[in-house]
Amino acid sequence: TFVTDCGVPSAFDEALECDNCTMCCNANEDCYPQEETLIAEHFGLNFGTFAAVLFASFIVLCCIVVLCSYFFNKRKNRGNTLTASTKRRLEEDDNYALSRIGKNSV
């Protein structure tokens, strides 16, 4: 193993860069291994790019859910619209019922 002062804050004006080091430490003596993360290993992405891809995927998923909900609701309510003749017949039935019962009966 090879340990170097390549962390931040550094004891030097500019932090050292060491691609072949197995461990990086900083001026506070905090050390961390120089290994690829699981995200970088499996997907080849850094954390910033992975976060952007994850956020974009979430937005796309939300849009798909909204569209599916819209089309499902539109299909469900397709047969519930009343035609003009149906509305007229319902109004005639209401008027007939009121004329037989009386407007002030209740």
Side-chain angles (χ1 to χ4, degrees), residues 1-4 6-7 18-26 29-38 40-41 47:
T1 63
F2 185 69
V3 179
T4 187
C6 53
C18 182
D19 296 331
N20 298 327
C21 298
T22 55
M23 185 75 67
C24 267
C25 296
N26 61 17
E29 297 183 8
D30 294 326
C31 298
Y32 56 92
Q34 287 285 88
E35 298 173 347
E36 280 194 342
T37 61
L38 291 176
E41 187 177 312
F47 282 116

Side-chain angles (χ1 to χ4, degrees), residues 52-102:
V53 168
L54 188 65
F55 183 71
S57 300
F58 178 73
I59 296 297
V60 168
L61 180 67
C62 288
C63 291
I64 290 171
V65 168
V66 166
L67 284 174
C68 289
S69 158
Y70 170 76
F71 286 121
F72 176 77
N73 192 29
K74 188 174 181 179
R75 183 174 181 209
K76 185 178 91 170
N77 294 331
R78 182 173 37 189
N80 293 341
T81 58
L82 297 176
T83 61
S85 62
T86 306
K87 286 181 184 179
R88 188 179 71 247
R89 192 174 67 234
L90 287 173
E91 288 175 6
E92 288 173 358
D93 289 347
D94 288 344
N95 290 335
Y96 176 77
L98 285 174
S99 70
R100 292 294 174 202
I101 296 173

